[in-house]
mmCIF file of all heavy atoms in Angstrom:
data_model
loop_
_atom_site.group_PDB
_atom_site.id
_atom_site.type_symbol
_atom_site.label_atom_id
_atom_site.label_comp_id
_atom_site.label_asym_id
_atom_site.label_seq_id
_atom_site.Cartn_x
_atom_site.Cartn_y
_atom_site.Cartn_z
ATOM 1 N N GLY A 24 35.494 5.340 -3.048
ATOM 2 C CA GLY A 24 35.975 4.694 -1.846
ATOM 3 C C GLY A 24 36.003 3.167 -1.980
ATOM 4 O O GLY A 24 36.016 2.474 -0.934
ATOM 5 N N GLY A 25 35.972 2.641 -3.193
ATOM 6 C CA GLY A 25 36.011 1.203 -3.339
ATOM 7 C C GLY A 25 34.728 0.477 -3.174
ATOM 8 O O GLY A 25 34.663 -0.706 -3.237
ATOM 9 N N LEU A 26 33.645 1.212 -2.874
ATOM 10 C CA LEU A 26 32.342 0.577 -2.702
ATOM 11 C C LEU A 26 31.632 0.378 -4.015
ATOM 12 O O LEU A 26 31.832 1.198 -4.918
ATOM 13 C CB LEU A 26 31.442 1.381 -1.743
ATOM 14 C CG LEU A 26 31.853 1.557 -0.322
ATOM 15 C CD1 LEU A 26 30.942 2.436 0.409
ATOM 16 C CD2 LEU A 26 32.068 0.216 0.385
ATOM 17 N N THR A 27 30.842 -0.680 -4.120
ATOM 18 C CA THR A 27 30.072 -0.867 -5.357
ATOM 19 C C THR A 27 28.883 0.057 -5.376
ATOM 20 O O THR A 27 28.490 0.656 -4.291
ATOM 21 C CB THR A 27 29.624 -2.327 -5.458
ATOM 22 O OG1 THR A 27 28.679 -2.594 -4.405
ATOM 23 C CG2 THR A 27 30.746 -3.299 -5.435
ATOM 24 N N SER A 28 28.219 0.176 -6.472
ATOM 25 C CA SER A 28 27.042 1.042 -6.530
ATOM 26 C C SER A 28 25.887 0.540 -5.626
ATOM 27 O O SER A 28 25.171 1.304 -5.013
ATOM 28 C CB SER A 28 26.531 1.179 -7.973
ATOM 29 O OG SER A 28 26.191 -0.089 -8.493
ATOM 30 N N TRP A 29 25.791 -0.817 -5.467
ATOM 31 C CA TRP A 29 24.791 -1.341 -4.528
ATOM 32 C C TRP A 29 25.075 -0.980 -3.153
ATOM 33 O O TRP A 29 24.217 -0.681 -2.343
ATOM 34 C CB TRP A 29 24.691 -2.893 -4.727
ATOM 35 C CG TRP A 29 23.911 -3.272 -5.941
ATOM 36 C CD1 TRP A 29 24.401 -3.796 -7.060
ATOM 37 C CD2 TRP A 29 22.500 -3.195 -6.109
ATOM 38 N NE1 TRP A 29 23.410 -4.012 -7.989
ATOM 39 C CE2 TRP A 29 22.194 -3.636 -7.373
ATOM 40 C CE3 TRP A 29 21.445 -2.807 -5.302
ATOM 41 C CZ2 TRP A 29 20.952 -3.740 -7.901
ATOM 42 C CZ3 TRP A 29 20.159 -2.870 -5.782
ATOM 43 C CH2 TRP A 29 19.916 -3.287 -7.044
ATOM 44 N N GLU A 30 26.388 -1.050 -2.716
ATOM 45 C CA GLU A 30 26.751 -0.700 -1.398
ATOM 46 C C GLU A 30 26.479 0.767 -1.081
ATOM 47 O O GLU A 30 26.017 1.135 -0.058
ATOM 48 C CB GLU A 30 28.211 -1.041 -1.156
ATOM 49 C CG GLU A 30 28.513 -2.532 -1.080
ATOM 50 C CD GLU A 30 29.975 -2.863 -1.095
ATOM 51 O OE1 GLU A 30 30.766 -2.127 -1.704
ATOM 52 O OE2 GLU A 30 30.325 -3.869 -0.471
ATOM 53 N N TRP A 31 26.767 1.590 -2.105
ATOM 54 C CA TRP A 31 26.407 3.033 -1.921
ATOM 55 C C TRP A 31 24.946 3.240 -1.836
ATOM 56 O O TRP A 31 24.469 4.128 -1.076
ATOM 57 C CB TRP A 31 27.001 3.872 -3.063
ATOM 58 C CG TRP A 31 28.464 4.220 -2.888
ATOM 59 C CD1 TRP A 31 29.531 3.716 -3.599
ATOM 60 C CD2 TRP A 31 28.955 5.075 -1.917
ATOM 61 N NE1 TRP A 31 30.657 4.246 -3.096
ATOM 62 C CE2 TRP A 31 30.361 5.121 -2.052
ATOM 63 C CE3 TRP A 31 28.411 5.877 -0.899
ATOM 64 C CZ2 TRP A 31 31.235 5.862 -1.258
ATOM 65 C CZ3 TRP A 31 29.284 6.628 -0.084
ATOM 66 C CH2 TRP A 31 30.652 6.643 -0.267
ATOM 67 N N SER A 32 24.170 2.517 -2.635
ATOM 68 C CA SER A 32 22.701 2.642 -2.536
ATOM 69 C C SER A 32 22.151 2.286 -1.162
ATOM 70 O O SER A 32 21.356 2.991 -0.612
ATOM 71 C CB SER A 32 22.075 1.768 -3.596
ATOM 72 O OG SER A 32 22.417 2.178 -4.876
ATOM 73 N N PHE A 33 22.671 1.172 -0.633
ATOM 74 C CA PHE A 33 22.183 0.751 0.699
ATOM 75 C C PHE A 33 22.673 1.730 1.764
ATOM 76 O O PHE A 33 21.969 1.977 2.746
ATOM 77 C CB PHE A 33 22.662 -0.647 1.022
ATOM 78 C CG PHE A 33 21.852 -1.708 0.275
ATOM 79 C CD1 PHE A 33 22.482 -2.590 -0.588
ATOM 80 C CD2 PHE A 33 20.489 -1.794 0.384
ATOM 81 C CE1 PHE A 33 21.802 -3.574 -1.272
ATOM 82 C CE2 PHE A 33 19.753 -2.743 -0.279
ATOM 83 C CZ PHE A 33 20.411 -3.580 -1.130
ATOM 84 N N GLU A 34 23.841 2.276 1.621
ATOM 85 C CA GLU A 34 24.341 3.256 2.614
ATOM 86 C C GLU A 34 23.472 4.521 2.520
ATOM 87 O O GLU A 34 23.122 5.102 3.590
ATOM 88 C CB GLU A 34 25.817 3.576 2.319
ATOM 89 C CG GLU A 34 26.363 4.637 3.219
ATOM 90 C CD GLU A 34 26.434 4.233 4.675
ATOM 91 O OE1 GLU A 34 26.327 3.053 5.025
ATOM 92 O OE2 GLU A 34 26.567 5.149 5.515
ATOM 93 N N GLY A 35 23.128 4.943 1.341
ATOM 94 C CA GLY A 35 22.259 6.119 1.208
ATOM 95 C C GLY A 35 20.895 5.875 1.802
ATOM 96 O O GLY A 35 20.327 6.703 2.521
ATOM 97 N N LEU A 36 20.332 4.667 1.571
ATOM 98 C CA LEU A 36 19.014 4.325 2.138
ATOM 99 C C LEU A 36 19.101 4.262 3.658
ATOM 100 O O LEU A 36 18.195 4.801 4.341
ATOM 101 C CB LEU A 36 18.604 2.974 1.610
ATOM 102 C CG LEU A 36 17.303 2.443 2.076
ATOM 103 C CD1 LEU A 36 16.150 3.323 1.628
ATOM 104 C CD2 LEU A 36 17.072 1.047 1.589
ATOM 105 N N ARG A 37 20.189 3.745 4.191
ATOM 106 C CA ARG A 37 20.322 3.644 5.647
ATOM 107 C C ARG A 37 20.402 5.067 6.269
ATOM 108 O O ARG A 37 19.754 5.346 7.255
ATOM 109 C CB ARG A 37 21.618 2.888 6.005
ATOM 110 C CG ARG A 37 21.821 2.683 7.531
ATOM 111 C CD ARG A 37 23.178 2.073 7.824
ATOM 112 N NE ARG A 37 24.253 3.021 7.586
ATOM 113 C CZ ARG A 37 24.610 4.036 8.383
ATOM 114 N NH1 ARG A 37 23.953 4.282 9.493
ATOM 115 N NH2 ARG A 37 25.634 4.824 8.081
ATOM 116 N N GLN A 38 21.167 5.949 5.618
ATOM 117 C CA GLN A 38 21.279 7.321 6.214
ATOM 118 C C GLN A 38 20.008 8.075 6.001
ATOM 119 O O GLN A 38 19.676 8.916 6.856
ATOM 120 C CB GLN A 38 22.439 7.998 5.527
ATOM 121 C CG GLN A 38 23.789 7.460 6.014
ATOM 122 C CD GLN A 38 24.950 8.272 5.497
ATOM 123 O OE1 GLN A 38 24.777 9.418 5.102
ATOM 124 N NE2 GLN A 38 26.140 7.645 5.559
ATOM 125 N N ALA A 39 19.265 7.882 4.911
ATOM 126 C CA ALA A 39 18.013 8.626 4.712
ATOM 127 C C ALA A 39 16.975 8.196 5.689
ATOM 128 O O ALA A 39 16.081 9.001 6.035
ATOM 129 C CB ALA A 39 17.514 8.361 3.271
ATOM 130 N N LEU A 40 16.996 6.954 6.158
ATOM 131 C CA LEU A 40 15.992 6.436 7.056
ATOM 132 C C LEU A 40 16.306 6.791 8.540
ATOM 133 O O LEU A 40 15.486 6.487 9.390
ATOM 134 C CB LEU A 40 15.784 4.972 6.908
ATOM 135 C CG LEU A 40 15.141 4.551 5.590
ATOM 136 C CD1 LEU A 40 15.065 3.041 5.526
ATOM 137 C CD2 LEU A 40 13.749 5.178 5.435
ATOM 138 N N THR A 41 17.435 7.389 8.805
ATOM 139 C CA THR A 41 17.752 7.722 10.208
ATOM 140 C C THR A 41 17.068 9.031 10.601
ATOM 141 O O THR A 41 16.036 9.032 11.243
ATOM 142 C CB THR A 41 19.249 7.781 10.417
ATOM 143 O OG1 THR A 41 19.840 8.632 9.469
ATOM 144 C CG2 THR A 41 19.871 6.395 10.260
ATOM 145 N N GLY A 42 17.669 10.186 10.227
ATOM 146 C CA GLY A 42 17.101 11.439 10.679
ATOM 147 C C GLY A 42 16.004 12.008 9.820
ATOM 148 O O GLY A 42 14.874 12.269 10.306
ATOM 149 N N PRO A 43 16.247 12.155 8.475
ATOM 150 C CA PRO A 43 15.240 12.871 7.680
ATOM 151 C C PRO A 43 13.879 12.167 7.694
ATOM 152 O O PRO A 43 12.858 12.842 7.858
ATOM 153 C CB PRO A 43 15.849 12.832 6.282
ATOM 154 C CG PRO A 43 17.315 12.718 6.529
ATOM 155 C CD PRO A 43 17.474 11.918 7.753
ATOM 156 N N ALA A 44 13.788 10.885 7.532
ATOM 157 C CA ALA A 44 12.515 10.198 7.472
ATOM 158 C C ALA A 44 11.781 10.363 8.798
ATOM 159 O O ALA A 44 10.584 10.466 8.820
ATOM 160 C CB ALA A 44 12.714 8.740 7.091
ATOM 161 N N PHE A 45 12.530 10.264 9.908
ATOM 162 C CA PHE A 45 11.914 10.412 11.237
ATOM 163 C C PHE A 45 11.272 11.757 11.386
ATOM 164 O O PHE A 45 10.120 11.877 11.809
ATOM 165 C CB PHE A 45 12.981 10.190 12.327
ATOM 166 C CG PHE A 45 12.461 10.391 13.703
ATOM 167 C CD1 PHE A 45 11.629 9.429 14.299
ATOM 168 C CD2 PHE A 45 12.814 11.495 14.388
ATOM 169 C CE1 PHE A 45 11.171 9.624 15.605
ATOM 170 C CE2 PHE A 45 12.360 11.711 15.677
ATOM 171 C CZ PHE A 45 11.512 10.742 16.281
ATOM 172 N N PHE A 46 11.959 12.826 11.020
ATOM 173 C CA PHE A 46 11.440 14.172 11.205
ATOM 174 C C PHE A 46 10.294 14.453 10.252
ATOM 175 O O PHE A 46 9.325 15.154 10.609
ATOM 176 C CB PHE A 46 12.560 15.236 11.035
ATOM 177 C CG PHE A 46 13.546 15.154 12.114
ATOM 178 C CD1 PHE A 46 14.867 14.835 11.833
ATOM 179 C CD2 PHE A 46 13.243 15.334 13.449
ATOM 180 C CE1 PHE A 46 15.822 14.763 12.867
ATOM 181 C CE2 PHE A 46 14.117 15.266 14.460
ATOM 182 C CZ PHE A 46 15.419 14.972 14.163
ATOM 183 N N VAL A 47 10.357 13.952 9.023
ATOM 184 C CA VAL A 47 9.233 14.144 8.110
ATOM 185 C C VAL A 47 8.013 13.371 8.603
ATOM 186 O O VAL A 47 6.871 13.899 8.549
ATOM 187 C CB VAL A 47 9.618 13.670 6.692
ATOM 188 C CG1 VAL A 47 8.415 13.641 5.751
ATOM 189 C CG2 VAL A 47 10.655 14.639 6.068
ATOM 190 N N ALA A 48 8.189 12.181 9.133
ATOM 191 C CA ALA A 48 7.076 11.426 9.686
ATOM 192 C C ALA A 48 6.418 12.145 10.850
ATOM 193 O O ALA A 48 5.204 12.229 10.956
ATOM 194 C CB ALA A 48 7.533 10.047 10.118
ATOM 195 N N ILE A 49 7.241 12.727 11.729
ATOM 196 C CA ILE A 49 6.645 13.445 12.905
ATOM 197 C C ILE A 49 5.900 14.671 12.421
ATOM 198 O O ILE A 49 4.804 15.001 12.926
ATOM 199 C CB ILE A 49 7.794 13.876 13.860
ATOM 200 C CG1 ILE A 49 8.446 12.608 14.493
ATOM 201 C CG2 ILE A 49 7.299 14.844 14.943
ATOM 202 C CD1 ILE A 49 7.460 11.770 15.314
ATOM 203 N N ALA A 50 6.421 15.400 11.385
ATOM 204 C CA ALA A 50 5.742 16.564 10.848
ATOM 205 C C ALA A 50 4.398 16.180 10.225
ATOM 206 O O ALA A 50 3.409 16.878 10.389
ATOM 207 C CB ALA A 50 6.611 17.282 9.838
ATOM 208 N N MET A 51 4.384 15.051 9.516
ATOM 209 C CA MET A 51 3.192 14.681 8.842
ATOM 210 C C MET A 51 2.118 14.166 9.854
ATOM 211 O O MET A 51 0.943 14.351 9.681
ATOM 212 C CB MET A 51 3.445 13.523 7.807
ATOM 213 C CG MET A 51 4.214 14.010 6.560
ATOM 214 S SD MET A 51 3.280 15.226 5.629
ATOM 215 C CE MET A 51 4.339 16.724 5.852
ATOM 216 N N ILE A 52 2.568 13.591 10.935
ATOM 217 C CA ILE A 52 1.628 13.230 12.028
ATOM 218 C C ILE A 52 0.951 14.465 12.606
ATOM 219 O O ILE A 52 -0.218 14.541 12.868
ATOM 220 C CB ILE A 52 2.337 12.404 13.126
ATOM 221 C CG1 ILE A 52 2.675 10.992 12.592
ATOM 222 C CG2 ILE A 52 1.484 12.323 14.363
ATOM 223 C CD1 ILE A 52 3.556 10.200 13.433
ATOM 224 N N GLY A 53 1.763 15.521 12.804
ATOM 225 C CA GLY A 53 1.254 16.799 13.293
ATOM 226 C C GLY A 53 0.252 17.426 12.323
ATOM 227 O O GLY A 53 -0.776 17.955 12.692
ATOM 228 N N VAL A 54 0.545 17.386 11.013
ATOM 229 C CA VAL A 54 -0.368 17.897 9.986
ATOM 230 C C VAL A 54 -1.635 17.121 9.965
ATOM 231 O O VAL A 54 -2.730 17.646 9.850
ATOM 232 C CB VAL A 54 0.339 17.928 8.625
ATOM 233 C CG1 VAL A 54 -0.669 18.195 7.518
ATOM 234 C CG2 VAL A 54 1.398 18.985 8.627
ATOM 235 N N GLY A 55 -1.513 15.780 10.166
ATOM 236 C CA GLY A 55 -2.708 14.978 10.219
ATOM 237 C C GLY A 55 -3.646 15.309 11.435
ATOM 238 O O GLY A 55 -4.828 15.282 11.290
ATOM 239 N N GLY A 56 -2.962 15.625 12.555
ATOM 240 C CA GLY A 56 -3.744 16.018 13.738
ATOM 241 C C GLY A 56 -4.479 17.369 13.436
ATOM 242 O O GLY A 56 -5.628 17.523 13.880
ATOM 243 N N LEU A 57 -3.811 18.288 12.745
ATOM 244 C CA LEU A 57 -4.456 19.567 12.403
ATOM 245 C C LEU A 57 -5.605 19.320 11.438
ATOM 246 O O LEU A 57 -6.673 19.946 11.623
ATOM 247 C CB LEU A 57 -3.451 20.527 11.730
ATOM 248 C CG LEU A 57 -2.464 21.197 12.646
ATOM 249 C CD1 LEU A 57 -1.398 21.931 11.818
ATOM 250 C CD2 LEU A 57 -3.182 22.141 13.588
ATOM 251 N N ALA A 58 -5.448 18.442 10.536
ATOM 252 C CA ALA A 58 -6.515 18.129 9.534
ATOM 253 C C ALA A 58 -7.696 17.533 10.232
ATOM 254 O O ALA A 58 -8.855 17.873 10.037
ATOM 255 C CB ALA A 58 -6.033 17.196 8.488
ATOM 256 N N ARG A 59 -7.428 16.675 11.199
ATOM 257 C CA ARG A 59 -8.515 15.985 11.959
ATOM 258 C C ARG A 59 -9.221 17.042 12.850
ATOM 259 O O ARG A 59 -10.431 17.085 12.972
ATOM 260 C CB ARG A 59 -7.970 14.880 12.801
ATOM 261 C CG ARG A 59 -9.066 14.128 13.484
ATOM 262 C CD ARG A 59 -8.521 12.945 14.217
ATOM 263 N NE ARG A 59 -9.587 12.273 14.894
ATOM 264 C CZ ARG A 59 -9.865 10.978 14.696
ATOM 265 N NH1 ARG A 59 -9.163 10.306 13.845
ATOM 266 N NH2 ARG A 59 -10.869 10.435 15.287
ATOM 267 N N GLY A 60 -8.462 17.942 13.451
ATOM 268 C CA GLY A 60 -9.042 18.975 14.302
ATOM 269 C C GLY A 60 -9.893 19.979 13.467
ATOM 270 O O GLY A 60 -10.807 20.600 13.946
#
C-alpha cells in the first residue's frame, strides 16, 4: 500500500494496543485477584 516498513510497524503497534492489549490486561488483573484470594 505504499507504506514503509516503519509505518507498517507503527500501524501494527497501534492496532495491537487497542483491543488485544486491553483484554489481556483485564484478564491478567482478574488472575491476579484470584492469586491474591
Side-chain angles (χ1 to χ4, degrees):
L26 297 177
T27 65
S28 60
W29 282 105
E30 290 170 328
W31 277 111
S32 297
F33 286 121
E34 178 63 18
L36 180 65
R37 184 188 69 78
Q38 288 187 19
L40 291 177
T41 54
F45 177 73
F46 293 119
V47 169
I49 295 299
M51 291 297 115
I52 289 170
V54 167
L57 285 172
R59 186 176 180 121

